[in-house]
Amino acid sequence: MDIRQLRYFVTVVEEANFTRAAARLHLAQPGVSAQVRQLEKELGRPLLDRSGRSVTLTEVGEAVLPYARAALAAVEAVRQTVDEFTGLLRGHVNIGLVSGAAGAATHEFDVASLLADFHDDHPQVEIVLTEDTSERMLAALNRGELDIAVIGLADEEPPPGISLQVVIDDPLVAAVAPDDPAMTHAGRTSIPLAELRDRPLISLPRGTGIRGVLDRACAQAGFRPRIAFEAAAPLSLARLAVRGLGVAVIPALRTDAASAFGLRTLEITGPRLRGRIALAWRTDGPSGPAAAAFLDLLRASLTVPDVPGSAQSGPRPVREHGFASPSSARC
């Protein structure tokens, strides 16, 4: 028995087909079949049932499969450990990015460029990027399905077991067309949350950080927000608002951006609401050295500079919550 036979066996199980497994392994199908049969011969029992249209596990195969996967994982861990000492990174990184965060952060940081730079430096690392809501990203982090996520925050504190580094913290504003009824008072710069009670609102979907902040604030004020339109990115919300379709609740825009859209923005008060985006990871650290290295890059790069003409002036410090050093967590 050797590790190659175990890899072929696991791949056939995952594909439920010898031909697909061979294609995935970049091998000829007869060679894969022969090696799996040799494994079965050495063990003295069939592991796979080949009688149906799909290949399925026998009772013995079901019992063997977890051990085969554990053996492959152990071999990969040995490789990663040696590679880490030699300065060569392998492995994979699973990253989550909430759509609303991407739209809010386009002027602050460029995750795509960081991914490209990391890939150039470590071409043997497989990077998988997915988009989802903040709530589902946090659940995936807890389950170990994601290594790192960029999420919108609905709560002040992170869930247990999750560490955060806040990279954007902007006030939320009501964005309206210049002829909106809210602009009847000349020189107005803010609007009480209660005044939005009966207004059609344009918001990010449920599960995003900003929507969570809005829903909670409205509930505390004693009303349910009237959501007329939803869109995945703040800039899309702004485009709907400028057409007079409602009041968009978005992070504060830079002065030039608001002017370009033809929007007027009023800071929401009573209470003041914040739109925050954070880098999130498990407190016990990423699962492998590749993910830990990419987390180090993100934590060093995703800082918020003071942007001239932005809605919020002055330096904005990066804040951390529940932080445990990724490098120490690997020990």
Side-chain angles (χ1 to χ4, degrees), residues 14 158 211 222 250 288:
E14 291 174 348
R211 178 63 175 273
I250 59 175

Side-chain angles (χ1 to χ4, degrees), residues 48 52 55 67 72 74 94 111 138 148 151 201 241 260 285 306 321 330:
L48 300 173
V55 178
Y67 294 101
L72 294 175
N94 292 313
V111 174
L138 286 171
I148 307 162
I151 63 171
L201 302 182
D306 183 20
H321 301 266
R330 279 178 282 160

Side-chain angles (χ1 to χ4, degrees), residues 191-201 218 222-228 246-247:
I191 184 170
L193 179 66
E195 196 171 316
L196 301 178
R197 177 191 297 264
D198 298 319
R199 297 294 307 275
L201 302 182
C218 291
F223 69 94
R224 177 179 295 180
R226 289 180 53 200
I227 305 299
V247 178

Side-chain angles (χ1 to χ4, degrees), residues 174-326:
V176 297
D179 58 353
D180 188 272
M183 300 307 302
T184 55
H185 304 295
R188 189 177 194 186
T189 59
S190 64
I191 184 170
L193 179 66
E195 196 171 316
L196 301 178
R197 177 191 297 264
D198 298 319
R199 297 294 307 275
L201 302 182
I202 305 170
S203 172
L204 293 173
R206 289 186 183 275
T208 56
I210 288 175
R211 178 63 175 273
V213 169
L214 175 64
D215 286 347
R216 185 176 65 243
C218 291
Q220 291 172 348
F223 69 94
R224 177 179 295 180
R226 289 180 53 200
I227 305 299
F229 295 93
E230 292 181 345
L235 294 184
S236 298
L237 306 181
R239 293 187 179 98
L240 294 170
V242 78
R243 299 301 299 269
L245 296 174
V247 178
V249 179
I250 59 175
L253 294 170
R254 294 181 299 185
T255 304
D256 57 345
S259 298
F261 275 104
L263 284 171
R264 297 291 299 275
T265 60
L266 302 170
E267 184 176 357
I268 299 172
T269 59
R272 285 184 166 85
L273 308 182
R274 309 293 299 184
R276 299 184 301 152
I277 292 174
L279 187 65
W281 65 93
R282 288 186 303 280
T283 301
D284 59 2
S287 58
F294 189 59
L295 177 59
D296 288 342
L297 173 64
L298 290 175
R299 293 193 63 237
S301 303
L302 297 190
T303 57
V304 183
D306 183 20
V307 181
S310 64
Q312 180 176 335
S313 61
R316 288 176 283 175
V318 171
R319 293 197 292 277
E320 298 174 6
H321 301 266
F323 170 72
S325 168

